């Protein structure tokens, strides 16, 4: 594991704030006597990543000085060195409850079922300046977009910082086998002997154009001479109510990869023949439980930080990465802003972006290709609006297989009509 990419923040291994199995009973008995602080479903994802090191080098929610430095300078400082960090993460708390707490106090963090999930040694209690937070994270003073509403619609008005100890995350019965800790993913990549590992972030079911972004990343690194692994690494934390639920999406991804359809017809057969390797042997599925911010360029950097901690060397950054438009449909950011963001970081980030443009199926080549390469040649893309696609699926109609594979569409249709 010594040859793997280092975790973020200059560490030799990911932070571990997870309670060992042998100590769980004693931990529970101790926590039962502490003041309870509720944690939302979305914040629970961050809490577990503090626990397993997915948010290394943080050992818990940020105190005000760290939080403000992220908002104002986009860095955290470790041992005198600046490391990139673009969205601050502290723990929201109700105003009345905040007034009853004090620095140095240890509290029990409880989930929505009132079950203890962690303890927090409070290092700071401070007001949540939501306007400043939203303007910094989303780079706009407008609030008519999904990201701004996350904070504005949250009734909690204060934030807690400090150090946590976290119980092991329960495994989701539907797809828990795909959700590993940073130590587990690093061990897996080492066992596969991949010298480069590229992740593709998504919160949506895949079109063939989405698949192609991961194909491009894998084949680009393979052409450079690396023995590369590619991981379809969807976000399975809490998302918008109109996003496809994680359990349904994971079924679609599993069907594509296990059934061998992923990349079919769109890969560079000559490359894999020349390498004497099989494309499908280099692609796996792993889920990542993280909070979604709908934060565009700044969230793209956070996606890189998470992936570096899990052992990835590269992350696909497409056009409109982590994008969500204004309510009127207008763009908050330029489509390429997330890609440019990696060229202008204020601190160290070791993971490398693989910048990929839009893709589409082109009749002239009979497969999916990059728009930037195919359009100048006069090739014609096969396209469909997201609204049309959803209408077809809701009607139980299979979309054009040049847009979305049957394996994905059938699962989505079944879920919509179940």
């Amino acid at each position: 594991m010594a040859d793997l990419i280092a975790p973020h923040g200059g560490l030799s291994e990911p932070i571990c704030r997870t309670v060992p199995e042998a100590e769980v009973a004693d931990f529970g008995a101790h926590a039962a006597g502490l003041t309870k602080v509720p944690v939302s479903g979305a914040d629970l994802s961050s809490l577990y990543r503090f626990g397993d090191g997915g948010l290394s080098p943080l050992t818990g929610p940020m105190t005000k000085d760290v939080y403000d430095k992220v908002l104002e300078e986009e860095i955290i400082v470790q041992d005198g060195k600046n490391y990139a960090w673009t969205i601050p993460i502290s723990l929201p708390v109700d105003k009345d409850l905040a007034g009853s707490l004090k620095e140095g106090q240890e509290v029990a963090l409880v989930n929505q079922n009132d079950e203890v999930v962690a303890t927090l040694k409070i290092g700071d209690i401070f007001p949540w300046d939501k306007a400043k937070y939203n303007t910094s994270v989303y780079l706009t003073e407008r609030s008519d977009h999904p990201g701004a509403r996350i904070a504005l619609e949250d009734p909690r008005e204060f934030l807690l910082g400090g150090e946590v100890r976290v119980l092991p995350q329960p495994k989701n019965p539907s797809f828990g086998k795909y959700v590993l800790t940073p130590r587990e993913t690093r061990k897996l990549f080492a066992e596969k002997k991949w010298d480069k590992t590229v992740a593709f972030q998504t919160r949506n079911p895949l079109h063939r154009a989405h698949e192609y972004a991961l194909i491009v990343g894998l084949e680009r690194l393979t052409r450079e001479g690396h023995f590369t692994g590619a991981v379809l690494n969807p976000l399975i934390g809490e998302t918008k109510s109109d996003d496809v639920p994680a359990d349904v999406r994971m079924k679609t991804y599993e069907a594509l990869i296990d059934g061998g359809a992923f990349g079919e017809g769109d890969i560079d057969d000559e490359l894999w023949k020349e390498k004497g390797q099989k494309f499908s042997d280099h692609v796996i599925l792993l889920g990542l439980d993280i909070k979604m911010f709908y934060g565009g360029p700044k969230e793209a950097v956070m996606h890189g930080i998470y992936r570096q901690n899990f052992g990835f060397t590269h992350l696909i950054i497409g056009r409109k990465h982590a994008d969500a438009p204004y309510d009127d449909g207008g763009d908050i950011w330029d489509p390429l802003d997330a890609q440019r963001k990696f060229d202008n970081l204020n601190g160290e980030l070791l993971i490398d972006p693989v910048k990929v443009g839009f893709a589409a199926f082109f009749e002239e080549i009979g497969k999916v290709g990059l728009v930037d390469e195919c359009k100048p040649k006069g090739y014609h893309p096969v396209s469909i609006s997201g609204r049309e696609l959803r209408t077809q699926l809701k009607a139980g109609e299979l979309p054009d297989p040049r847009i979305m594979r049957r394996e994905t569409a059938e699962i989505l249709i079944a879920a919509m009509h179940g």
Side-chain angles (χ1 to χ4, degrees):
M1 297 190 52
D3 294 330
L4 294 178
I5 190 170
H8 196 46
L11 303 176
S12 58
E13 60 180 28
I15 290 289
C16 182
R17 305 294 296 181
T18 301
V19 178
E21 204 63 50
E23 298 176 23
V24 166
D26 288 343
F27 177 87
H30 169 70
L34 302 175
T35 299
K36 293 180 179 180
V37 173
V39 177
S40 71
D43 293 325
L44 198 55
S45 295
S46 298
L47 188 60
Y48 284 126
R49 301 297 72 79
F50 291 134
D52 68 17
L55 279 165
S56 295
L58 301 185
T59 56
M62 293 176 171
T63 54
K64 189 175 190 303
D65 56 337
V66 179
Y67 182 97
D68 286 345
K69 188 171 281 290
V70 171
L71 284 185
E72 294 159 12
E73 302 177 45
E74 299 181 4
I75 57 169
I76 58 172
V77 180
Q78 288 284 113
D79 298 323
K81 184 174 178 178
N82 293 348
Y83 293 91
W85 203 288
T86 46
I87 300 179
I89 303 176
S90 296
L91 192 64
V93 64
D94 175 81
K95 181 179 180 181
D96 291 339
L97 181 55
S100 71
L101 303 174
K102 57 182 182 295
E103 287 180 31
Q105 181 179 354
E106 187 179 17
V107 295
L109 304 179
V110 297
N111 63 18
Q112 289 157 310
N113 295 323
D114 202 39
E115 299 162 333
V116 173
V117 291
T119 57
L120 169 70
K121 182 76 175 293
I122 299 175
D124 209 351
I125 307 167
F126 55 104
W128 188 359
D129 186 337
K130 297 182 181 183
K132 180 178 179 180
Y133 170 85
N134 279 342
T135 302
S136 170
V137 170
Y138 300 102
L139 304 171
T140 174
E141 293 189 357
R142 286 177 59 174
S143 59
D144 57 326
H145 57 93
R149 281 194 286 273
I150 293 173
L152 294 177
E153 294 179 1
D154 192 324
R156 297 169 295 180
E157 298 176 20
F158 276 73
L159 296 170
L160 299 179
E163 291 204 340
V164 293
R165 293 192 73 212
V166 187
L167 288 170
Q169 183 169 13
K171 287 283 189 185
N172 183 292
S174 300
F175 51 77
K177 66 180 180 179
Y178 296 110
V179 183
L180 307 180
T181 69
R183 282 170 171 75
E184 289 170 337
T185 55
R186 287 169 169 270
K187 183 171 182 284
L188 176 62
F189 300 160
E191 288 170 352
K192 288 184 173 292
K193 297 183 167 54
W194 290 337
D195 60 284
K196 302 294 180 187
T197 308
V198 59
F200 178 65
Q201 152 80 33
T202 183
R203 69 175 196 268
N204 298 305
L206 298 185
H207 300 190
R208 281 178 69 174
H210 292 143
E211 290 178 34
Y212 195 66
L214 190 54
I215 294 170
V216 168
L218 173 54
E219 293 188 341
R220 203 177 280 178
L221 291 166
T222 300
R223 284 191 196 95
E224 291 173 6
H226 302 293
F227 188 63
T228 307
V231 181
L232 177 56
N233 197 213
L235 180 150
I236 58 165
E238 191 169 293
T239 55
K240 293 191 281 90
S241 59
D242 59 346
D243 285 343
V244 178
D247 60 336
V248 176
R249 287 190 289 111
M250 289 298 283
K251 286 177 186 172
T252 68
Y253 309 141
E254 188 176 38
L256 285 174
I257 291 178
D258 288 357
F262 188 94
E264 191 175 43
D266 297 327
I267 66 173
D268 183 345
D269 289 312
E270 289 303 312
L271 171 67
W272 297 104
K273 197 178 295 181
E274 175 196 321
K275 294 290 181 183
Q277 299 167 23
K278 193 177 175 185
F279 170 82
S280 59
D281 289 343
H282 293 257
V283 182
I284 63 172
L285 170 64
L286 291 173
L288 180 57
D289 184 4
I290 56 175
K291 180 178 178 177
M292 189 75 200
F293 294 90
Y294 302 93
K298 290 204 176 186
E299 185 157 16
V301 176
M302 296 304 301
H303 287 165
I305 291 169
Y306 285 110
R307 274 30 181 251
Q308 180 179 326
N309 283 328
F310 278 82
F312 292 93
T313 58
H314 292 75
L315 173 65
I316 305 289
I317 302 293
R319 292 163 63 95
K320 297 193 170 189
H321 188 101
D323 194 284
Y326 290 118
D327 292 349
D328 62 12
D331 288 337
I332 303 176
W333 312 281
D334 179 88
L336 294 178
D337 275 354
Q339 295 185 356
R340 297 188 188 105
K341 188 68 179 172
F342 283 81
D343 300 325
N344 297 287
L345 299 176
N346 295 338
E348 180 182 279
L349 182 62
L350 298 179
I351 196 169
D352 288 319
V354 178
K355 300 175 182 178
V356 179
F358 280 144
F361 188 98
F362 288 88
E363 287 288 4
E364 290 81 357
I365 58 175
K367 60 189 288 190
V368 175
L370 293 175
V371 172
D372 292 347
E373 295 175 2
C374 295
K375 269 268 184 109
K377 298 176 181 176
Y379 296 168
H380 298 88
V382 177
S383 60
I384 185 173
S385 74
R387 183 174 295 165
E388 287 177 285
L389 186 62
R390 284 190 293 274
T391 299
Q392 286 182 344
L393 293 169
K394 283 178 182 174
E397 300 170 11
L398 289 171
D400 188 329
R402 296 170 298 179
I403 300 291
M404 177 179 279
R405 298 191 194 275
R406 184 186 189 103
E407 289 84 350
T408 297
E410 286 179 339
I411 292 169
L412 295 176
I413 289 170
M416 289 176 179
H417 294 266

